[in-house]
Amino acid sequence: MKLNLSKLYFFAISLAIVILLVNCSSKEVISFGNVKDFNNIEVNEILNIAGENSNQIKSAVINCPENQKEGLQFLLQNMPDRDLKNLSSEFLLTNLNYSYSVLDSVKWRNQIPKEIFLNYILPYANLHERRDNWREEFFNKFFPLVKNLNST
């Protein structure tokens, strides 16, 4: 897969924003452990919007690891309707998996506030970007550069 310069630019800007926000934010870090259950109305609304893709969304929810459910819930509640109608379970779960595995692997994990992770690290695309599987390539190229750092 050819390196997409817009993705690289987005990654670099996102990383810079995360570093800036973490260093400028209060040092209070919100726990990743509090997952609020969907209520039936939210689930039904999401599945109604997903329409013919609702089986993919259900599959993502059913197969999502417990420690990633908060991220999936955030994505489902905030993704554009067109993504609810088109993204596969595999796409969502793969993106969740890379996001959480990187977060869980770095020494400075506890310096990333939950809001920063959910809003700026977890999302699979920004605005009108093409929805493609870029995380594996970025993981392979860039994770070795940051995995041993002690802080952001």
Side-chain angles (χ1 to χ4, degrees):
M1 182 169 144
K2 186 177 175 185
L3 181 59
N4 183 327
L5 290 180
S6 67
K7 295 275 188 220
L8 180 58
Y9 178 72
F10 172 71
F11 176 79
I13 295 296
S14 297
L15 185 59
I17 289 170
V18 167
I19 291 169
L20 178 66
L21 290 173
V22 168
N23 287 330
C24 294
S25 68
S26 71
K27 293 301 176 185
E28 180 182 0
V29 177
I30 298 169
S31 168
F32 281 72
N34 300 327
V35 178
K36 178 176 61 172
D37 290 332
F38 279 125
N39 65 46
N40 289 333
I41 294 170
E42 284 178 310
V43 172
N44 288 335
E45 286 177 21
I46 288 169
L47 294 176
N48 284 336
I49 292 168
E52 294 178 12
N53 198 44
S54 63
N55 284 336
Q56 290 295 312
I57 302 301
K58 287 178 191 174
S59 176
V61 171
I62 291 167
N63 294 303
C64 184
E66 192 63 37
N67 69 322
Q68 299 175 11
K69 287 192 183 288
E70 181 178 29
L72 179 60
Q73 179 180 352
F74 178 85
L75 290 177
L76 292 175
Q77 289 174 324
N78 293 286
M79 71 174 56
D81 291 356
R82 68 186 172 111
D83 288 351
L84 284 170
K85 294 176 183 180
N86 292 298
L87 295 180
S88 70
S89 173
E90 180 183 1
F91 179 87
L92 292 170
L93 294 174
T94 297
N95 274 279
L96 280 164
N97 219 9
Y98 274 106
S99 297
Y100 277 94
S101 65
V102 168
L103 181 70
D104 292 341
S105 299
V106 293
K107 296 174 187 174
W108 35 271
R109 173 198 193 281
N110 292 328
Q111 295 177 26
I112 308 278
K114 180 171 69 171
E115 287 82 10
I116 299 297
F117 176 75
L118 294 174
N119 285 288
Y120 300 105
I121 298 171
L122 180 64
Y124 48 83
N126 185 25
L127 301 174
H128 298 292
E129 286 181 328
R130 186 176 69 228
R131 277 41 176 171
D132 58 19
N133 289 317
W134 56 271
R135 285 202 196 261
E136 181 178 7
E137 181 178 0
F138 272 53
F139 177 84
N140 292 333
K141 286 186 180 204
F142 301 114
F143 185 66
L145 300 173
V146 299
K147 70 179 179 181
N148 292 319
L149 295 178
N150 291 321
S151 71
T152 57

